[in-house]
Amino acid sequence: MKRKLRNRLSRRSFLASSLRAALFGTYALNSRAETIQTPWRNWSGGLSCSPKGRYDITDENQLIDLLKKTSGPIRPVGSGHSFSPLVPTDGHLVIIDQLSGVLEHDNETMQATVGAGSRLGDLGAPLFEIGQGMLNLPDIDRQTVAGATATGTHGTGVDFKSLSGYVTGLRLITARGEVKELDADQKDLFDAARVNLGALGIVTQIRMQNRKAFKLKKREWTAPTEELLRDFDTLASKHRQFEIFPLVYSDYSLALAIDETEQPIGQTIVPAQEVELADLRPLGIDALPAEKLTMNNALAENAQISEVVDLSYKILSNVRSNPFNEMEYSVPANNSAECVREILKTIYDEAIDVAFPLEYRYVSPEDPWLSMAYGEEPHATISIHRSAFEDYHPYFNRIEPIFRKYGGRPHWGKVHSLGHNELNELYPRFRDFKEIREALDPHGRLLNNHLRKLFEA
Ligand SMILES: Cc1cc2nc3c(=O)[nH]c(=O)nc-3n(C[C@H](O)[C@H](O)[C@H](O)COP(=O)(O)OP(=O)(O)OC[C@H]3O[C@@H](n4cnc5c(N)ncnc54)[C@H](O)[C@@H]3O)c2cc1C
């Protein structure tokens, strides 16, 4: 990886940073980023803070200088798409949006080095132009590469790791301003840093393992949940990617299968009525569970198949514009179907007032220490959601013990209530991660209240 990031501002990025300064009160002056106080809010609006200021970094040397010459709490932020309070601080926020784009690539190894502040969705087209495509993507692509990998963000697929599992190198600037260029040669530090919660330092560049650019076909249909759970392993191995959205107050799920294809781009099966998650929400908010079940089953039975072909990066991620909060746990795949059944039954039996479906998918085992899929065993991830305009606490508090009963590990970027002792039991290398964190940031400059709860016994 090159030591220096490209730091020449194009006319376009200059205009973008001027606009950002006008909107957010953050501006770059000489080589130092000077800041004024501005509030921060996450995507769902549930988390906010009033940092002392924001450092809007335009190159790596500026970041090193800043870390060496300032003191006090500091937190890196990506695109604010986490639901857990990893970011909020009353110190300074470090924004690395401008460390973006494809910096280097190698089409023999099919790897590319990108600025850590790149949004996943902004990398699809430039990677395609150089003949590469990312192996997998999460449900949406608005996250930054640094933010997504910091929390172990993953997509779907029994044979696919999280994004962190495809990181082959990264540059980490520690709280003291030291540069660590990491890859598999420094296995321990590397595996700690690939899912780092923004607690080991600030990542400026990431090298990803990609593959030859490709096209995908996505097929969506509804089917009885029991049938899909029974056949899940077969469907998951038959398709490149397979996942289901079990509908609450319904015997049905929306199923989604993705496969590589050479077919021309376009809609290959156009349903008379599109299968949209929003359309499949339970009707009759005030209805009894049995009444909702009848209505939702009728709706789901009539939903039609849809099929579309496009470039990989356009198929793998979606647009989610209705803000929500989310809790997600990974559980060992072998009893994960039982966990889904218990959650659906609890919602029905206790008439929990929720409309969003669950999401159920597999992730391949992998090495980053704090990955939800760390270890040898395949894991399934199960998510529950609640509209951002409603209080998620009663629902999430009721379901979280079910995840725990099945040996669940929480997603770092999503709502959970676990603290140091529970996490220490769930993640075999948790203690080692803590030791590395303490060595890299002995004064805890990168810690906020949430991280203290995670890392301090
Ligand atoms: C609509 C929606 C859909 C989602 N879908 C999925 C999904 O399919 N799969 C999944 O696994 N997750 C999913 N998530 C969760 C999301 O991917 C993670 O929470 C991710 O971390 C958000 O990335 P971000 O860029 O917004 O980072 P932020 O939320 O801003 O920050 C996340 C963490 O990264 C750290 N960080 C940011 N930049 C740096 C840096 N340069 N160096 C070091 N640390 C840094 C922060 O300090 C923080 O700890 C979804 C979230 C939303 C809102």
Side-chain angles (χ1 to χ4, degrees), residues 9 25 154 210-211 245 335 343 371 397 401 412 448:
L9 280 178
H154 61 90
N210 297 322
R211 54 153 288 176
F245 293 87
N335 61 356
I343 295 170
S371 163
N397 290 348
W412 299 105
N448 65 3

Side-chain angles (χ1 to χ4, degrees), residues 40 43-44 75-84 86-87 94 96 116-117 120 137-140 142-155 172 196-204 320 324 326 328 359 361 372 411-414 451:
W40 174 88
W43 174 81
S44 69
R75 287 295 299 142
V77 61
S79 64
H81 278 69
S82 294
F83 307 99
S84 61
L86 288 166
V87 169
V94 177
I96 56 151
L120 295 169
L137 284 169
D139 184 57
I140 59 153
R142 291 294 81 211
Q143 306 93 318
T144 60
V145 186
T149 54
T151 60
T153 290
H154 61 90
L172 178 80
N196 60 62
L197 315 191
L200 300 186
I202 297 171
V203 177
T204 56
R320 303 279 181 226
F324 55 78
E326 182 175 342
E328 179 179 30
E359 186 174 11
R361 42 192 169 162
M372 293 168 91
H411 188 303
W412 299 105
K414 302 190 182 178
L451 291 172

Side-chain angles (χ1 to χ4, degrees), residues 107-166:
N107 275 6
E108 281 194 3
T109 59
M110 279 294 165
Q111 298 189 7
T113 301
V114 300
S118 313
R119 300 238 182 176
L120 295 169
D122 294 342
L123 291 174
L127 285 174
F128 180 76
E129 269 172 35
I130 57 170
Q132 295 192 14
M134 290 178 78
L135 283 146
N136 206 0
L137 284 169
D139 184 57
I140 59 153
D141 60 10
R142 291 294 81 211
Q143 306 93 318
T144 60
V145 186
T149 54
T151 60
T153 290
H154 61 90
T156 296
V158 67
D159 295 325
F160 291 94
K161 301 173 191 171
S162 74
L163 292 185
S164 306
Y166 296 117

